[in-house]
Amino acid sequence: MLELYQWELSQYSEKVRLILDFKGLDYRKIEVTPGIGQVELFRLTGQKQVPVLKDRNRYIADSTEIAKYLDLEYPDRPIIPQDPKKRGLTLLIEEWADESIGIKGRKALFAAVSQDQNFRKSLLPTSTPDIFKSLVGGVPSDLLTVLGFGVGYSPDVIQSAIASLKQDLEALTLLLADSPYLTGDEPTLADLAVAGLSILLKFPSGPYLDLPASIRGKGLPIFSENIDYEPFFTWRDRLYAQFRRPLISTTSATGSAPTSIQID
């Protein structure tokens, strides 16, 4: 079985999970604990960042490289078109989504978690011990603001990201106005990338992530409650209903809650 080293709330991990589900591939999720888990991941793969896909004795890092690998090794239900023009457009949109929605979505989410301790706690996986949830919820907002400056997330940077995301969602809504998918009549990597990377703006309404049911279908109000973007999120949730497998039990089967990485 394929193994996906991931973070449950990583948009890039979600992009790969959506691709795996679209292709109908069985896989096991392995949750990498930030810090010490990344050290073990580096020992195994030479890569500290998730997602990393293990296929037999091979490790593939980076969500784009994983997508290309899966389309080559598991060609059923292809996600990268053969037609040159559609192929080029698909790869262009996928790369844009990585650099735009993926990066700016994190900045917008940071603003939300900085302002609302209940929202901070609700974003933790359901398997997180209560004592750790209390510690996270108790982190002062002022301290998070200082930490934001430390990683380049100043208020000006965050506001710029939000303004840019608004423009992105407007453009995507226009592209989907008269087409079922971003590049035509069939779903491609472009659709799966955009859908998976958008989870931090508004969570899918179904049971797809190991997060409390109370925040399903919710997100950053500036996006999730804006009727102008409703067509985009309706499209995104329809795509999830079509292709994303819902969570089942906490076993190691496909679609389950993640297993923590083992530290030797």
Side-chain angles (χ1 to χ4, degrees), residues 224-243:
S224 62
E225 297 177 10
N226 190 323
I227 60 173
D228 291 337
Y229 310 138
E230 186 176 339
F232 169 78
F233 290 114
T234 298
W235 167 84
R236 195 275 311 273
D237 285 349
R238 175 175 60 81
L239 192 145
Y240 264 69
Q242 286 178 297
F243 306 120

Side-chain angles (χ1 to χ4, degrees), residues 11-227:
Q11 323 102 292
Y12 298 94
S13 295
E14 177 62 10
K15 171 184 163 186
V16 174
R17 293 189 294 254
L18 188 50
I19 291 169
L20 289 164
D21 284 352
F22 177 83
K23 284 182 165 290
L25 297 172
D26 290 335
Y27 64 99
R28 183 165 72 102
K29 298 191 294 185
I30 301 177
E31 191 76 359
V32 177
T33 304
I36 190 168
Q38 290 174 275
V39 172
E40 176 65 5
L41 182 65
F42 184 78
R43 186 186 70 80
L44 291 170
T45 70
Q47 171 64 244
K48 290 184 179 180
Q49 299 301 316
V50 295
V52 173
L53 183 72
K54 181 183 179 183
D55 187 8
R56 297 177 288 273
N57 62 346
R58 182 171 182 180
Y59 292 92
I60 305 94
D62 184 80
S63 63
T64 299
E65 293 307 312
I66 292 171
K68 293 177 180 178
Y69 173 84
L70 289 172
D71 227 30
L72 181 64
E73 296 293 324
Y74 302 91
D76 289 349
R77 303 199 77 180
I79 57 174
I80 303 177
Q82 292 301 311
D83 175 79
K85 188 172 183 178
K86 287 187 177 181
R87 185 183 185 88
L89 183 58
T90 293
L91 294 174
L92 188 66
I93 293 176
E94 187 261 357
E95 177 68 15
W96 163 80
D98 275 0
E99 298 300 320
S100 184
I101 299 176
I103 293 174
K104 291 180 288 192
R106 290 175 178 173
K107 295 175 181 178
L109 182 69
F110 186 85
V113 299
S114 298
Q115 298 167 9
D116 189 336
Q117 67 171 348
N118 292 324
F119 189 52
R120 288 201 292 276
K121 290 193 291 184
S122 69
L123 291 179
L124 295 172
T126 54
S127 56
T128 303
D130 289 340
I131 187 170
F132 187 69
K133 290 182 179 179
S134 298
L135 289 172
V136 171
V139 175
S141 297
D142 290 346
L143 176 58
L144 285 172
T145 299
V146 172
L147 292 175
F149 274 105
V151 296
Y153 286 6
S154 67
D156 287 345
V157 167
I158 290 172
Q159 288 304 312
S160 177
I162 290 173
S164 185
L165 283 166
K166 289 180 178 179
Q167 181 172 295
D168 292 343
L169 290 177
E170 289 170 5
L172 289 166
T173 301
L174 290 172
L175 287 173
L176 293 165
D178 58 357
S179 177
Y181 301 106
L182 288 170
T183 62
D185 295 331
E186 298 292 334
T188 69
L189 175 59
D191 302 283
L192 302 176
V194 167
L197 292 166
S198 71
I199 60 168
L200 298 188
L201 308 183
K202 181 180 181 180
F203 298 115
S205 56
Y208 303 109
L209 300 171
D210 181 31
L211 295 171
S214 60
I215 64 173
R216 291 175 188 165
K218 297 182 180 178
L220 309 181
I222 198 167
F223 303 118
S224 62
E225 297 177 10
N226 190 323
I227 60 173

